[in-house]
Amino acid sequence: MSKDVQGSFLGLTPLLVFVFLVLGSALITGDFSAMPILVAFMLAAGYALALNPKGYHYSMAQKIDLFCQGGAEKTIILLAVIFMLAGAFYAVTMDIGARDATVNWALSLVPISFLLPGLFVIACFIAFAMGTSMGTITALTPIAIGLADSIGITQPLAIGVVIGGAMFGDNLSFVSDTTIAATRSQGVKLKDKFKANLLIVLPAALVTMTLLMFIEIDQGAVIEPQAYDIWLVSPYLLIIACALLGMNVIGVLSVGIGCAALLGLVNGTFDLFTLLGSIQKGMGWMQNMVAIALLIGGIIGLMKAYGGIQWLMHKITMNVKTRKGAELSIAFLASFLDIVTANNTISIVSAGPIAKDLSQKYNIDPRRTASLLDIFSCGFQGLVPYGGQLLTAAALAGISPLLLVPYAFYPMLILVFGLLAILTGLPRFKHQAQDEY
């Protein structure tokens, strides 16, 4: 079935069908969650199977074969396994109380005068350690609401600080699904992508902390964190250390799950079978993401066969003459898909193959491509009021998510510094990137 395929707009329409389903449902209902993402991708896949490229006819058996080849691509299968391990790690650590212990441990270290920058740093650390912005927001938003009342600031401001920190950690975490998707789609090591990404977003984090230090709070407030077991923080510290030492992501997650499981068994939180149930529960949380990754892989496989990817590449690069222009195209693609889907992981998985083709054509370092995909998708994810992060935080506070957008300082700033990185060509790399697999 291999043949030279001419670029064709028709081959791109499965992706446009998905966009139409999500946006159309949102406009009709006023709710961006009205159309389930997995269902939308299933419908788009069905539409893709009904198409044929111009001047050529695939049998249904051939199209199904192409779809399966796309979904079974090495990167997609590996991504699915890692997603499930990440879910298991999150569930086990949450069930043993590691998340709450880490929050209270961090709060105990922050003096009142630095409470707002401290809250931002705590959110950064929790999200970086756990690999989930949603989990961080769920854990810290009730605390932020209480702090806002105690120190005399508005609730949207305090919650905006948490959202910013959550997106910082989600963007950089070694076990975040966005990091996993970005590194696997571009074939780079976790550690290498972390270094490249940190050089771009750290200035944004420092500017955010500086802005927060100038916000007046009630210095007389008394904050008393709850008691915690410091040992429960160790699974997070261990996975960070393992990742920085260069262990691949499957090894990192396995060590983290093992450490958390051992703690749960020792302190009596689990017996063997409740531990296995916790692991299964966490993997179940990621089933939708696994199914979506497989469907996206299959749809992309068909779009390539129909000439849709070639057409999109031509249109994106038609006026691109430089590496800088290609990087701006990658940033735009990741941003657009996140705004449409309100899911940064899905936007990265969808944009990843196209971004990789652009990177190879214009000799862009894959560490840089992975960073740009993650930065721009996470930046907009922290700003769209219909995204899961702002909706969750707003629901916990009982306010409109639109009130949170002006206080999401960090997501705004990483978009600014992401653009500056493209325009200046920084950071630069001395050595070629290597795939840990």
Side-chain angles (χ1 to χ4, degrees):
M1 288 185 293
S2 61
K3 66 186 188 70
D4 293 330
V5 179
Q6 297 298 316
S8 168
F9 173 75
L10 181 67
L12 185 66
T13 54
L15 181 60
L16 300 182
V17 166
F18 168 76
V19 171
F20 173 78
L21 289 170
V22 174
L23 287 181
S25 299
L27 291 173
I28 292 170
T29 63
D31 179 7
F32 269 82
S33 62
M35 170 57 71
I37 296 294
L38 182 56
V39 175
F41 273 117
M42 282 292 291
L43 293 172
Y47 169 79
L49 288 168
L51 293 178
N52 270 300
K54 185 177 180 181
Y56 190 86
H57 179 76
Y58 286 117
S59 69
M60 182 56 70
Q62 288 176 316
K63 287 187 280 189
I64 291 174
D65 192 31
L66 287 166
F67 180 85
C68 292
Q69 286 177 25
E73 199 270 330
K74 181 185 74 171
T75 299
I76 299 293
I77 297 299
L78 188 60
L79 192 61
V81 173
I82 295 170
F83 277 160
M84 288 191 290
L85 287 174
F89 173 73
Y90 178 51
V92 175
T93 52
M94 189 176 71
D95 286 347
I96 66 172
R99 182 184 69 179
D100 295 337
T102 305
V103 170
N104 286 303
W105 167 66
L107 281 172
S108 69
L109 302 177
V110 180
I112 292 295
S113 57
F114 294 97
L115 195 56
L116 279 182
L119 180 63
F120 175 73
V121 172
I122 290 169
C124 291
F125 178 76
I126 300 297
F128 181 68
M130 293 198 307
T132 165
S133 56
M134 293 292 287
T136 302
I137 289 168
T138 302
L140 287 181
T141 295
I143 294 173
I145 292 170
L147 290 177
D149 296 336
S150 300
I151 62 178
I153 62 172
T154 64
Q155 289 186 3
L157 170 57
I159 297 169
V161 172
V162 170
I163 290 169
M167 299 318 298
F168 174 91
D170 189 34
N171 175 226
L172 287 171
S173 174
F174 295 114
V175 294
S176 163
D177 47 4
T178 59
T179 294
I180 292 164
T183 54
R184 293 314 327 134
S185 68
Q186 304 308 307
V188 295
K189 290 184 177 181
L190 286 173
K191 183 172 67 172
D192 290 346
K193 182 263 185 186
F194 170 77
K195 291 177 180 177
N197 204 340
L198 183 64
L199 291 172
I200 298 173
V201 302
L202 185 59
L206 295 175
V207 172
T208 300
M209 292 176 64
T210 303
L211 291 173
L212 294 175
M213 290 183 69
F214 286 98
I215 296 174
E216 292 187 7
I217 64 171
D218 179 5
Q219 299 287 339
V222 178
I223 309 298
E224 296 184 3
Q226 299 178 6
Y228 59 90
D229 181 354
I230 191 63
W231 283 104
L232 294 178
V233 182
S234 58
Y236 299 136
L237 300 178
L238 186 59
I239 64 166
I240 292 170
C242 288
L244 289 174
L245 288 172
M247 185 180 292
N248 73 56
V249 65
I250 289 180
V252 169
L253 288 166
S254 299
V255 169
I257 293 168
C259 177
L262 183 62
L263 285 170
L265 291 170
V266 168
N267 65 22
T269 303
F270 294 130
D271 59 31
L272 177 60
F273 294 104
T274 54
L275 167 61
L276 296 176
S278 179
I279 292 173
Q280 169 67 29
K281 177 180 67 177
M283 289 182 173
W285 289 343
M286 301 302 287
Q287 285 176 356
N288 272 3
M289 283 308 308
V290 170
I292 287 169
L294 294 173
L295 283 171
I296 290 173
I299 292 170
I300 293 292
L302 288 172
M303 287 169 58
K304 284 183 177 178
Y306 298 160
I309 299 300
Q310 295 89 322
W311 185 89
L312 182 61
M313 283 287 294
H314 172 71
K315 291 298 180 183
I316 288 177
T317 61
M318 187 167 52
N319 297 314
V320 171
K321 306 297 182 186
T322 64
R323 184 185 305 173
K324 189 179 298 182
E327 290 181 350
L328 286 170
S329 298
I330 291 169
F332 169 78
L333 185 61
S335 302
F336 171 73
L337 288 171
D338 184 74
I339 291 169
V340 170
T341 64
N343 188 303
N344 45 347
T345 305
I346 292 173
S347 69
I348 292 172
V349 174
S350 302
I354 301 169
K356 188 169 186 177
D357 288 343
L358 275 170
S359 297
Q360 292 172 345
K361 182 174 181 178
Y362 287 92
N363 197 29
I364 302 170
D365 191 287
R367 291 165 289 192
R368 193 168 170 81
T369 305
S371 297
L372 292 176
L373 285 171
D374 211 344
I375 286 168
F376 282 89
S377 62
C378 283
F380 279 100
Q381 188 65 26
L383 292 173
V384 290
Y386 47 86
Q389 285 75 5
L390 268 68
L391 286 175
T392 299
L396 289 169
I399 59 177
S400 166
L402 290 171
L403 295 176
L404 303 177
V405 176
Y407 298 103
F409 303 139
Y410 176 76
M412 298 179 194
L413 286 167
I414 62 169
L415 296 175
V416 172
F417 280 91
L419 286 172
L420 287 174
I422 293 173
L423 296 176
T424 60
L426 298 174
R428 297 185 177 93
F429 307 97
K430 294 181 179 179
H431 306 291
Q432 187 175 359
Q434 294 181 334
D435 190 337
E436 61 186 340
Y437 295 95

